[in-house]
Amino acid sequence: MPKTYEIEIKSLLGSKENADTLRMKILEKGGKHKSSTTESQLNHYFTYSDLSKFHQDLLPHIPDNKKEVFIEIITHGKNFSIRTRDTDGKVILVIKASLDAHTSDNGVSRMEFEAEMPMSLKELDQLLLDSGLEYQARWSREREEYIIDNTTITIDKNAGYGYLAEFENVIEQSEEAANVRKKLLGLMNDFGVEELPQDRLERMFSHYNSHWQDYYGTDKVFTIE
């Protein structure tokens, strides 16, 4: 199975009105729903110090058609972001490694591994904890997904952040990353939304991680400049 690279740019929408405006523009330009329903997601982020036991313990549980990519990203990746996700009962292990100078949590260009796991979110979390990882934070959100040409656009209502949009392409050649990023920024400009600066995003991410118990599963929103 080929490696894939995720090129993703975020835009902070803030209000429901701004989210409604973006949604209307997407549909007016021919965008289509990827799903007829809004997904409810729980995302649990983990920290690590050594991934050797994680590699050993998780490999037997990884689907056969994903083992090669799992080994590749663990062996050759750097600055990992590891999370578990429950999307309306579908449990997924997500691993991202950075391709640019940013972190793998919020970076623009990343190598990506994703696999559905045959267990509950609680069981998967425990497997990661037993392999030496620790909780960083728990997140909750509602997500709408749209597709326009080969670009996926999501509109999220995130605990803590409020409304956030993500513009994403997935590629198989890392050399294409710069051109794809340029195209995504052009599309965002067409929709009248701006990139959320990485330094502000990192400050938001850090604040949430320090106070996630106050926001997880709620509609509370904070503002960090």
Side-chain angles (χ1 to χ4, degrees):
M1 186 174 181
K3 292 181 289 186
T4 59
Y5 302 91
E6 172 191 79
I7 312 301
E8 177 189 277
I9 305 177
K10 294 179 172 65
S11 179
L12 186 62
L13 302 176
S15 68
K16 181 180 183 299
E17 290 73 21
N18 289 339
D20 290 342
T21 297
L22 176 59
R23 183 186 302 109
M24 179 183 66
K25 289 181 178 180
I26 293 170
L27 295 175
E28 286 177 348
K29 289 185 178 292
K32 305 293 184 183
H33 283 277
K34 288 186 71 174
S35 174
S36 59
T37 59
T38 299
E39 295 179 348
S40 294
Q41 293 187 357
L42 301 177
N43 288 278
H44 297 172
Y45 282 65
F46 291 79
T47 60
Y48 64 91
S49 56
D50 180 6
L51 289 182
S52 56
K53 191 173 190 306
F54 170 81
H55 186 176
Q56 174 184 318
D57 291 353
L58 268 291
L59 187 59
H61 300 277
I62 301 298
D64 289 341
N65 66 333
K66 296 291 184 75
K67 288 184 187 296
E68 182 179 349
V69 179
F70 176 78
I71 294 170
E72 175 77 14
I73 194 170
I74 294 298
T75 303
H76 299 293
K78 60 181 180 179
N79 301 324
F80 296 95
S81 171
I82 300 173
R83 68 196 77 169
T84 59
R85 176 180 299 154
D86 185 314
T87 302
D88 294 327
K90 180 180 177 181
V91 177
I92 299 169
L93 173 66
V94 180
I95 305 172
K96 303 188 181 203
S98 59
L99 291 178
D100 52 28
H102 303 298
T103 70
S104 52
D105 292 310
N106 297 305
V108 171
S109 304
R110 301 178 291 193
M111 184 179 177
E112 180 180 39
F113 168 87
E114 187 172 300
E116 185 173 356
M117 304 295 284
M119 59 190 73
S120 68
L121 183 66
K122 182 178 180 180
E123 290 170 335
L124 181 56
D125 281 4
Q126 192 60 53
L127 186 58
L128 268 62
L129 294 171
D130 290 343
S131 71
L133 276 65
E134 297 182 357
Y135 279 124
Q136 181 180 35
R138 304 185 194 187
W139 297 66
S140 54
R141 70 182 175 199
E142 297 176 359
R143 162 164 285 191
E144 305 168 47
E145 284 192 281
Y146 301 86
I147 188 78
I148 184 165
D149 296 326
N150 63 339
T151 298
T152 298
I153 305 171
T154 60
I155 299 176
D156 296 340
K157 182 183 179 184
N158 287 281
Y161 284 16
Y163 286 92
L164 187 81
E166 297 179 355
F167 291 71
E168 177 190 301
N169 278 170
V170 176
I171 58 177
E172 294 183 3
Q173 302 296 325
S174 60
E175 296 82 4
E176 300 174 5
N179 285 336
V180 171
R181 170 175 163 76
K182 184 177 179 180
K183 290 179 181 178
L184 287 177
L185 287 171
L187 181 61
M188 293 172 68
N189 185 63
D190 290 343
F191 284 126
V193 296
E194 297 180 350
E195 179 179 8
L196 175 59
Q198 285 292 319
D199 57 349
R200 184 181 181 192
L201 180 56
E202 291 298 335
R203 289 193 295 273
M204 292 168 60
F205 189 68
S206 177
H207 177 84
Y208 183 91
N209 286 343
S210 298
H211 304 88
W212 67 265
Q213 295 93 336
D214 297 332
Y215 298 100
Y216 182 70
T218 77
D219 291 325
K220 295 180 182 178
V221 176
F222 60 80
T223 301
I224 299 289
E225 295 299 333

